[in-house]
């Protein structure tokens, strides 16, 4: 196995912690989530800390970033959540995902008092009827309240998640969502197109409708970019926008190909050319950790060629060039020339970057750029 | 066996009228096969034949009936193989004409009955499927009797399925069909009426001995082609090969030639002894020419050598297959292949895909044009790409088309034939309700979607057959298709000037539907020379990117993109445009809706 360049020997600076519990599973969700189970939250948190001890030698402390993803991390029993926040190493950026209806003044205080610097709110839309389609429990007022509570608690780095392309969403709905979101003056916005992922309840119910309206909604992404850029946000990643100096440093770690350690069920780690994914079973995870063993994991070596393909795929999502040396092995030279001629790709000195139009077609451009390789033949 | 104890016959019928079932039943009634050994369509050995219920290669099987040797020569029933049928009929003295009691006479019944009559065969008419509830044996018998000029009382009524009347058929064969002529003492002559290829033993000739006799290890010569060989074995089919010490005048059997290439022994040739050769070959040999051409390209260009090998091997058992290397700007290296007709093309393609496991792209078929240059030179053009504009005149092949329909569809068929540049010849009533229509049509007009149109417009009632009759001058032009301003040679078509505009417009519209949107606008144009006659634009995609790509699960996203990359291999990159395979067939189906 070829050791990748980067943080080997220096230690891993990015930690992901998976908190899978939710009050309710939304129809479109395909993450590893568990509904309810308050009695197991504390035990799960203990197991997270147990897994941390097993892998701690990889880490470089203090950490650069920690990210609590879910599930609904803020749905975790407050005592358990507090215990977890207190036990983890410190980091200069600590993000937690939250559903608006879970954010109370008490919670905001708990978070800020234990090192959380950034909150990512799952807003999705401000239109009640579309919230219903998505099976979201928060109402538009909950979002506003949540933002005020967080600001009152001195959290000054708030990100809002929006979803567009919801069945039944009219262009005017999108405009209103953008208006409402901008009115809250968030530091960061993530705007995702709704994906009908195979096997979800949602796809079963709305898949055909989504396929039908696909073409009509093609312009939504353009509209999102236009509006947010006009409002002064930086389109720094395909689906992410920020005010100056407010990029998500944790996610930037993934996009720049850095190593990261993931804790919890379903969590993924990439360290020194090896990637593993913890099995999603809660019982299996708890049992293993309580026995002092690592949980069941799916291992995948990331060799130099795979790594450069990933660097290409992720690096081209950013508004800064990816260093050409990092991706040269994955790029088909002929395709590169073709795409340059089509003004979809540009080559600033030593780098590779998508043009504005190229970014809208980023997936197709990456597929085109990728060189055929032996590793891919096994798919 | 003495000549007067031998009867040679074939069975002719329209498709699905029960020819193969009757053959099966004859094998059973004569104890050639026990019921246990029977499986449906014993004589159709290729998987393809059994699946499609058709006979592609002729077969010959010997059965014993009341002290007589009966040789059944099973013929292909389809128009594409008319030459094979005519050779097989030449090997017989009689024919069973089988007609479905519920369907009555159909186009192939006629075509085959006329062939049998032309070959001076004694026709034994049989009405089959009398057990069907909708059967009308009396009126069908009357139709058949009228056709062959016989007494309706002499038309046999049977059910091949239940076996009813099959023994009477065998008796009638012995009584009515003349014993073979021929001179047992004359120098040996045998007609090659078909051949097959045995992977280990080479070319197997199916022969009817006319004069003299043949023995193994006797040096032989094929009189038309001059091929010499020494047969390793002689025998007959029962229905498996049974070697014998000799094949005598009047008998039907096989000759293991030991030849390694089927093209060295063509159907219709005459075998004779090198030691004591006959003075004159048997009549009727001709070199059959392919009428329909199409480009065959491997989907994966790496498979070109496999395709070449497969065609070479297929040619060993199918002498009528023609192929030559073709290079297309759009599709790369492949072969331009010639076929006897559309069914033959379909069969070759299926055999290549099944027996050789190849993934093929077949271009829309076209006919062979005869181009007379300004210098007076005559060229045969198999490929629209080679069709230049510098010529004196062009001739295209014409067919005589026989269509039989219920009378309420006569107008419909006439309308279709007029749309296809058909020239009406005549029509006649076969019965009160069924009409026979004869048209002359350009072959090019039926290689597109003619069959489908005929079938759908007549609700499946029409039956259709044709003969290639010759060439006629036509006002033909080549319509080119340009994608993003680049001509795509594999999409060029040759059409009558009058239809050029409509076809060009329809094709451009179909391509707009078949070709996925690209990362840039793609104009599609149809042109005659430099004149653009139709234009459409495939609008560029505006968005194609994974919305969400965060979190540590990078492998899944990577694999998604890699799968897309692999998926793209099924597209053909032509210039800057990616074209799915289906687009190359769009030209075949211009009137149809897009398959969704």
């Amino acid at each position: 196995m070829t050791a990748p360049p980067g943080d080997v020997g220096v230690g891993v600076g990015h930690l992901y912690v998976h908190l899978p519990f939710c009050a309710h599973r939304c129809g479109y969700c395909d993450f590893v989530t568990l509904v309810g189970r308050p009695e197991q939250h504390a035990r799960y948190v203990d197991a997270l800390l147990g897994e941390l001890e097993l892998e701690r030698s990889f880490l470089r402390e203090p950490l650069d970033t920690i990210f609590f993803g879910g599930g609904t991390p803020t749905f975790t029993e407050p005592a358990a959540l507090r215990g977890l926040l207190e036990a983890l190493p410190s980091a200069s950026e600590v993000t937690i995902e939250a559903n608006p209806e879970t954010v109370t003044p008490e919670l905001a205080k708990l978070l800020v008092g234990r090192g959380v610097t950034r909150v990512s709110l799952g807003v999705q839309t401000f239109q009640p009827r579309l919230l219903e389609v998505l099976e979201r429990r928060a109402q538009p007022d909950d979002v506003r309240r949540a933002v005020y509570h967080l600001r009152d608690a001195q959290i000054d780095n708030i990100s809002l998640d929006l979803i567009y392309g919801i069945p039944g969403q009219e262009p005017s709905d999108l405009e209103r969502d953008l208006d409402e979101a901008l009115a809250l003056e968030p530091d960061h916005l993530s705007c995702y197109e709704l994906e009908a992922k195979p096997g979800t309840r949602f796809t079963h119910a709305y898949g055909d409708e989504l396929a039908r309206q696909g073409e009509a909604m093609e312009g939504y992404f353009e509209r999102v970019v236009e509006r947010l850029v006009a409002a002064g946000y930086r389109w720094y990643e395909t689906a992410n926008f920020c005010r100056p100096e407010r990029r998500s440093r944790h996610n930037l770690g993934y996009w720049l190909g850095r190593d990261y350690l993931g804790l919890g069920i379903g969590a993924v780690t990439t360290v020194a050319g090896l990637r593993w994914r913890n099995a999603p079973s809660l019982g299996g995870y708890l049992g293993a950790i309580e026995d002092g063993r690592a949980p069941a994991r799916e291992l995948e070596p990331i060799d130099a060629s795979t790594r450069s393909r990933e660097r290409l795929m992720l690096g081209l999502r950013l508004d800064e060039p990816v260093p050409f040396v990092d991706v040269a092995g994955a790029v088909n030279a002929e395709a590169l020339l073709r795409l340059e001629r089509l003004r979809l790709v540009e080559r600033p000195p030593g780098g590779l970057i998508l043009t504005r139009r190229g970014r809208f077609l980023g997936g197709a451009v990456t597929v085109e750029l990728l060189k055929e390789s032996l590793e891919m033949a096994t798919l | 066996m003495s000549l007067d104890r031998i009867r040679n016959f074939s069975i002719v019928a329209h498709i699905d009228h029960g020819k193969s079932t009757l053959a099966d039943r004859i094998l059973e009634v004569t104890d050639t096969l026990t019921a246990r050994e029977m499986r449906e369509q014993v004589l159709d050995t290729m998987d393809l034949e059994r699946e499609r219920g058709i006979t592609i290669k002729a077969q010959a099987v010997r059965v014993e009936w009341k002290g007589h040797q009966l040789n059944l020569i099973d013929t292909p029933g389809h128009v594409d193989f008319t030459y094979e049928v005519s050779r097989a009929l030449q090997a017989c003295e009689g024919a069973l004409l089988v007609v479905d009691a519920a369907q009555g006479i159909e186009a192939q019944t006629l075509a085959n009955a006329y062939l049998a009559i032309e070959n001076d065969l004694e026709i034994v008419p049989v009405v089959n499927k009398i057990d069907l509830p909708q059967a009308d044996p009396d009126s069908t018998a009357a139709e058949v009797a009228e056709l062959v000029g016989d007494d309706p009382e002499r038309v046999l009524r049977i059910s091949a399925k239940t076996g009813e009347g099959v023994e009477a058929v065998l008796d009638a064969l012995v009584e009515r069909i003349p014993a073979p002529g021929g001179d047992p003492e004359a120098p040996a002559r045998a007609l090659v009426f078909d051949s097959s290829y045995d992977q280990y033993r080479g070319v197997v000739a199916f022969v009817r001995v006319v004069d003299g006799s043949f023995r193994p290890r006797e040096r032989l010569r094929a009189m038309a082609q001059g091929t010499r060989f020494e047969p390793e074995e002689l025998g007959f089919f029962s229905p498996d090969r049974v070697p014998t010490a000799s094949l005598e005048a009047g008998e039907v059997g096989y000759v293991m030639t030991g030849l390694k290439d089927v093209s060295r022994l063509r159907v219709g040739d005459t075998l004779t002894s090198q030691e004591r050769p006959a003075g004159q070959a048997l009549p009727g040999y001709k070199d059959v020419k392919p009428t329909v051409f199409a480009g065959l390209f491997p989907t994966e260009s790496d498979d070109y050598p496999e395709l070449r090998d497969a065609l070479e091997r297929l040619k060993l058992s199918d002498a009528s297959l023609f192929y030559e290397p073709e290079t297309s700007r759009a599709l790369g290296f492949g072969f331009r292949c010639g076929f006897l007709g559309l069914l033959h093309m379909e069969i070759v393609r299926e055999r290549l895909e099944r027996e050789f496991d190849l993934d093929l792209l077949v271009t829309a078929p076209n006919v062979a044009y005869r181009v007379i240059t300004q210098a007076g030179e005559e060229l045969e053009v198999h490929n629209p790409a080679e069709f230049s504009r510098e010529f004196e005149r062009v001739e295209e092949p014409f067919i005589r088309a026989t269509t039989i329909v219920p009378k309420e569809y006569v107008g419909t068929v006439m309308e279709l034939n007029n749309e296809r540049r058909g020239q009406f010849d005549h029509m006649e009533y076969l019965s009160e309700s069924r009409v026979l229509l004869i048209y002359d049509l350009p072959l090019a007009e039926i290689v597109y979607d003619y069959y489908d149109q005929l079938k759908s417009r007549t609700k499946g009632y029409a039956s259709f057959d044709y003969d290639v009759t010759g060439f006629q001058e036509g006002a033909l032009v080549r319509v080119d298709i340009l994608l993003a301003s680049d001509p795509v040679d594999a999409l060029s078509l040759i059409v009558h000037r009058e239809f050029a505009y409509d076809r060009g417009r329809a094709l451009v519209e179909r391509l707009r539907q078949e070709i996925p949107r690209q990362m840039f606008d793609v104009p599609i144009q149809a042109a005659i020379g430099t004149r653009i006659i139709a234009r459409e634009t495939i609008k560029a995609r505006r968005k194609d990117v994974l919305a969400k790509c965060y979190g540590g699960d990078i492998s899944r996203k990577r694999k998604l993109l890699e799968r897309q990359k692999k998926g793209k291999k099924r597209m053909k990159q032509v210039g800057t445009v990616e074209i799915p395979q289906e687009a190359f067939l769009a030209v075949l189906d211009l009137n149809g809706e897009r398959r969704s």
Side-chain angles (χ1 to χ4, degrees), chain B residues 390-428:
Chain B
E390 309 295 314
F391 52 76
E392 186 62 31
R393 63 173 205 277
V394 188
E395 296 176 346
E396 59 177 330
F398 263 68
I399 57 164
R400 169 143 293 204
T402 307
T403 313
I404 297 178
V405 277
K407 64 180 177 203
E408 57 267 38
Y409 293 111
V410 167
T412 311
V413 174
M414 288 182 152
E415 192 180 286
L416 174 63
N417 286 347
N418 289 342
E419 286 167 20
R420 304 303 172 103
R421 298 192 279 139
Q423 298 154 12
F424 176 75
D425 188 85
H426 72 277
M427 65 182 261
E428 51 188 82

Side-chain angles (χ1 to χ4, degrees), chain A residues 97 192-193 215 218-219 221-222 238-239 254-255 260 268 275 277 300 306 309-310 313-314 317 339 342 357 360-365 367-368 370 372 376 379, chain B residues 517-521 540-566 568-569 573 575-576 578:
Chain A
E97 290 181 337
Y192 303 118
E193 184 180 36
E215 211 164 302
E218 230 185 30
F221 184 28
E222 282 169 35
T238 304
Y254 300 128
W255 298 323
Y260 49 91
V268 180
R275 180 168 299 154
R277 180 196 178 91
E300 181 192 6
T306 305
R309 288 201 303 283
E310 291 187 348
M313 168 182 99
L314 297 167
R317 296 179 67 89
L339 292 162
L342 291 167
R357 213 167 68 78
F360 286 104
L361 298 168
V365 172
V367 168
E368 181 102 12
L370 274 177
E372 299 276 344
M376 284 166 54
L379 286 170
Chain B
R517 297 162 67 201
Q518 320 264 318
M519 292 189 280
F520 44 91
D521 284 357
R541 266 176 297 171
R542 290 161 74 184
K543 177 183 159 298
D544 182 352
V545 64
L546 284 176
K548 200 181 278 192
C549 197
Y550 74 98
D553 196 0
I554 293 163
S555 299
R556 205 158 63 164
K557 312 280 185 203
R558 187 191 78 235
K559 284 174 184 164
L560 199 69
L561 288 181
E562 288 172 352
R563 258 195 299 275
Q564 282 181 36
K565 182 79 188 176
K566 282 197 77 82
K568 277 164 66 92
K569 286 180 76 178
Q573 179 99 31
T576 51
E578 282 161 355

Side-chain angles (χ1 to χ4, degrees), chain B residues 249-498:
Chain B
E251 292 188 327
V252 172
Y254 67 86
V255 176
M256 288 286 183
T257 64
L259 295 169
K260 294 298 175 198
D261 178 356
V262 86
S263 66
R264 297 194 56 210
L265 188 66
R266 305 299 284 266
V267 168
D269 209 336
T270 302
L271 297 186
T272 192
S273 152
Q274 287 188 42
E275 303 301 313
R276 195 185 159 217
Q280 211 174 3
L282 296 161
Y285 177 80
K286 79 178 180 198
D287 211 3
V288 277
K289 285 224 163 98
T291 56
V292 173
F293 294 82
L296 261 63
F297 294 86
T299 306
E300 305 275 340
S301 51
D302 299 350
D303 288 347
Y304 176 81
E306 280 80 6
L307 175 57
R308 189 192 51 217
D309 294 350
L311 283 168
E312 259 167 35
R313 283 176 54 196
L314 210 55
K315 173 100 184 157
L316 291 178
S317 65
D318 184 354
S320 53
L321 174 65
F322 161 90
Y323 64 93
E324 62 195 2
E326 176 179 4
T327 309
S328 157
R329 266 195 61 208
L331 302 175
F333 294 109
F335 294 92
R336 174 107 325 216
C337 298
F339 309 98
L340 298 176
L342 292 171
L343 179 71
H344 186 214
M345 174 172 103
E346 199 47 39
I347 287 165
V348 167
R349 171 215 171 101
E350 276 200 47
R351 289 187 66 189
L352 285 170
E353 293 195 334
R354 277 189 204 196
E355 296 169 28
F356 300 92
D357 196 24
L358 288 164
D359 231 346
L360 294 178
L361 198 158
V362 184
T363 65
N366 59 269
V367 301
Y369 294 93
R370 204 180 270 169
V371 173
I372 292 93
T373 65
Q374 278 150 350
E377 210 183 340
E378 189 181 302
L379 305 170
E380 194 169 279
V381 173
H382 298 158
N383 186 345
E386 294 163 5
F387 191 92
S388 82
R389 266 168 291 136
E390 309 295 314
F391 52 76
E392 186 62 31
R393 63 173 205 277
V394 188
E395 296 176 346
E396 59 177 330
F398 263 68
I399 57 164
R400 169 143 293 204
T402 307
T403 313
I404 297 178
V405 277
K407 64 180 177 203
E408 57 267 38
Y409 293 111
V410 167
T412 311
V413 174
M414 288 182 152
E415 192 180 286
L416 174 63
N417 286 347
N418 289 342
E419 286 167 20
R420 304 303 172 103
R421 298 192 279 139
Q423 298 154 12
F424 176 75
D425 188 85
H426 72 277
M427 65 182 261
E428 51 188 82
Y429 274 82
L430 293 176
S431 67
E432 205 158 288
S433 58
R434 284 158 31 91
V435 177
L436 165 77
L437 282 159
I438 305 287
Y439 267 82
D440 290 317
L441 279 155
L443 178 62
E445 295 292 335
I446 69 156
V447 303
Y448 293 127
D449 56 346
Y450 185 86
Y451 285 107
D452 292 343
Q453 286 292 317
L454 182 68
K455 284 288 175 195
S456 74
R457 292 194 198 184
T458 63
K459 309 234 173 349
Y461 281 115
S463 68
F464 174 80
D465 207 341
Y466 70 86
D467 270 320
V468 176
T469 47
F471 281 76
Q472 287 186 27
E473 188 172 347
L476 302 169
V477 292
R478 185 174 90 192
V479 175
D480 292 321
I481 297 296
L482 293 85
L483 282 179
S485 310
D486 288 331
V488 182
D489 51 8
L491 286 170
S492 292
L493 64 159
I494 296 170
V495 290
H496 193 268
R497 183 174 295 283
E498 216 175 284

Side-chain angles (χ1 to χ4, degrees), chain A residues 28 163-165 192-198 200 202-203 210, chain B residues 546-549 557 560:
Chain A
Y28 63 92
I163 286 181
Y164 59 89
Y192 303 118
E193 184 180 36
L194 180 61
E195 285 175 81
K197 297 197 177 149
T200 58
F202 187 80
T203 300
L210 277 178
Chain B
L546 284 176
K548 200 181 278 192
C549 197
K557 312 280 185 203
L560 199 69

